[in-house]
Amino acid sequence: MKPILLSAAALAVAGPACAQSIALNPLVDLRTRYESVDQTGVADKAEALTLRLRGGLQASSGPWSVLVEGQGTLAAVNHYFDGLHVDAAHPLVADPQTIALYRAQLQYRSKALTITAGRQRIVLDDERFVGAVNFRDNGQTFDAVRAEITPIAGLKADVSYAWSDRTIWGIDGVGARQQAVSGRNILANLSYGTKLGTITAFAYLIDQDETLVQAYQLSSQSYGVRFTGAHALSKHAKLSYQASYATQSDYHRNPNEYRADYYLIDATLDAYGWKAGGGYEVLGADKGVALTSFQTPLATGFKFQGWADKFLTTPPNGVRDLYGSLGYGWKAIGPAKGVTVQAVYHRFDSDRLGQHYGNEIDLLATAKLGKHTQLSVRYADYRATTFLTDTRKLWLQADWAL
């Protein structure tokens, strides 16, 4: 906590305190989730019923605010491998029990400048490179200083220096799955909005400076560009689109010497309640050696390449994901508001050697009850051809947030 307090103190003396009244806002976030995993090659099916509570307080005065938030995860049913305590009979459910400080930050916010110091969430773009991993109970935060600068309308610079990545593994994290991974991480992007969309140039220097975390082999430098936009076709139809390219190479203590590319193209048509989309995402390979393919260790990996989580670490030969989705939404069905259903299909292939890894079907239904409650049912079915094994996952989840 010493680096957090020092950075917060430095920010506090950067300007005069505002002589205004202090507004207090409580933070409450409750989640209960049932997750089952049936995986070929593992003796028993995993079953996890977890309860997650985040609670804290934000105090604000003028442009200044202080936020402190803790979190705890309890496994009411723990017939699963939590990633830390050896359990060869059950598949992995990455929600170990924990209790910890989730966020502790000091922030200054004005129209042109926001500076945040301390333990904080950092979410950049679509979370493909840096995210909060909010699907997992324990989430991901950073001990960091972040500056968001908007000198003119439409132009924004977002730069963070993070010296610790607080992982999803909680207080018992150990070995390759540590509670926190230290390193000198620099996360920067520069974006500009146009009539057609927003173009962003980014540089992510990720320093996984722990010998037990893949012997430094996840340290990388990625440089790229991203374009996102949307266009109204009519009163009832909208086309959204995105494209991205990046190149990655070894960084800092990484003993490997490699270069791999990333690219994405994606489009979604939203019309009369229907939503249809598709895309092609590639995390490239170099020479087919482990951990010399394009890696994204700080991403919210669950959002990409299927919910069965088979590709959180990119295989040595890379991965190509061709996907399509179809969904429909209702404004209300009885007491339920914002009801949506969605189906997604993925075909996974290697980036080199022409291997077909497998296919996956993902299904999702969500609904809101009142202002604070959201319910969801989610299912993933990965059918392996040459990579890993068949896996089926089911989630029943309820979230309540103040």
Side-chain angles (χ1 to χ4, degrees):
M1 287 297 296
K2 185 177 179 181
I4 298 178
L5 296 175
L6 289 175
S7 63
L11 182 57
V13 300
C18 243
Q20 298 184 19
S21 60
I22 297 176
L24 299 178
N25 297 306
L27 306 169
V28 183
D29 183 339
L30 299 169
R31 170 188 288 173
T32 180
R33 179 165 65 211
Y34 170 80
E35 180 173 346
S36 70
V37 183
D38 187 0
Q39 183 174 322
T40 299
V42 182
D44 298 324
K45 182 172 74 172
E47 291 189 289
L49 178 60
T50 57
L51 309 172
R52 199 276 308 278
L53 168 64
R54 288 179 185 158
L57 186 67
Q58 177 176 293
S60 304
S61 179
W64 294 91
S65 67
V66 177
L67 184 153
V68 178
E69 184 178 26
Q71 74 175 4
T73 299
L74 173 68
V77 176
N78 62 351
H79 304 312
Y80 67 97
F81 172 43
D82 65 2
L84 304 177
H85 305 93
V86 177
D87 182 352
H90 295 97
L92 172 68
V93 175
D95 289 326
Q97 297 187 100
T98 191
I99 184 167
L101 177 66
Y102 181 59
R103 289 189 291 171
Q105 67 181 51
L106 173 64
Q107 185 177 86
Y108 171 85
R109 179 185 292 273
S110 68
K111 184 177 181 180
L113 174 66
T114 298
I115 299 179
T116 310
R119 186 162 299 172
Q120 59 188 283
R121 280 196 297 255
I122 299 178
V123 174
L124 298 177
D125 299 320
D126 61 350
E127 302 188 68
R128 192 58 182 105
F129 291 85
V130 182
V133 197
N134 196 46
F135 182 78
R136 300 273 42 124
D137 283 344
N138 298 329
Q140 175 176 256
T141 55
F142 298 87
D143 294 344
V145 176
R146 180 183 186 185
E148 299 169 77
I149 307 166
T150 308
I152 60 174
L155 180 65
K156 181 180 179 180
D158 191 329
V159 181
S160 299
Y161 173 74
W163 57 88
S164 181
D165 161 28
R166 313 300 296 190
T167 76
I168 67 171
W169 301 110
I171 57 174
D172 293 329
V174 67
R177 293 167 170 161
Q178 294 190 19
Q179 174 187 7
V181 180
S182 61
R184 300 173 181 177
N185 302 277
I186 299 175
L187 314 171
N189 64 34
L190 180 66
S191 62
Y192 183 72
T194 70
K195 291 182 178 179
L196 293 177
T198 299
I199 186 167
T200 303
F202 56 84
Y204 301 132
L205 280 60
I206 295 176
D207 183 14
Q208 299 274 280
D209 198 18
E210 302 279 354
T211 186
L212 294 177
V213 180
Q214 303 291 356
Y216 311 117
Q217 294 180 92
L218 290 177
S219 294
S220 66
Q221 49 187 326
S222 301
Y223 305 94
V225 63
R226 169 179 166 82
F227 178 75
T228 62
H231 178 69
L233 303 177
S234 70
K235 288 182 61 177
H236 304 287
K238 180 180 72 173
L239 179 66
S240 303
Y241 40 84
Q242 58 177 317
S244 184
Y245 169 79
T247 184
Q248 182 180 99
S249 60
D250 50 287
Y251 178 66
H252 198 50
R253 295 195 196 184
N254 192 329
N256 298 319
E257 185 175 340
Y258 77 99
R259 181 181 176 278
D261 294 333
Y262 168 89
Y263 53 93
L264 164 76
I265 185 166
D266 178 283
T268 301
L269 177 64
D270 193 336
Y272 298 96
W274 289 94
K275 184 175 288 189
Y280 190 54
E281 184 185 45
V282 177
L283 280 74
D286 187 359
K287 301 178 181 66
V289 177
L291 300 179
T292 63
S293 48
F294 203 104
Q295 304 293 332
T296 58
L298 301 184
T300 299
F302 182 82
K303 292 180 62 177
F304 305 91
Q305 299 179 332
W307 302 330
D309 279 348
K310 293 300 183 180
F311 300 96
L312 296 180
T313 298
T314 308
N317 288 322
V319 59
R320 295 174 177 244
D321 178 15
L322 177 65
Y323 58 89
S325 64
L326 181 64
Y328 189 79
W330 297 264
K331 290 184 178 180
I333 299 179
K337 310 296 182 183
V339 180
T340 65
V341 293
Q342 181 186 33
V344 186
Y345 170 79
H346 296 265
R347 177 188 167 95
F348 300 112
D349 297 286
S350 65
D351 182 50
R352 62 188 299 273
L353 303 184
Q355 300 170 321
H356 176 47
Y357 289 148
N359 305 301
E360 181 170 327
I361 294 176
D362 297 325
L363 305 174
L364 173 65
T366 65
K368 294 180 180 179
L369 295 178
K371 294 182 179 180
H372 305 292
T373 303
Q374 178 160 315
L375 307 177
S376 65
V377 179
R378 191 185 301 257
Y379 177 76
D381 187 349
Y382 174 75
R383 297 299 175 97
T385 301
T386 63
F387 185 74
L388 300 179
T389 58
D390 294 354
T391 301
R392 289 157 296 282
K393 296 187 177 185
L394 172 68
W395 299 267
L396 306 175
Q397 181 171 320
D399 290 280
W400 187 92
L402 188 63

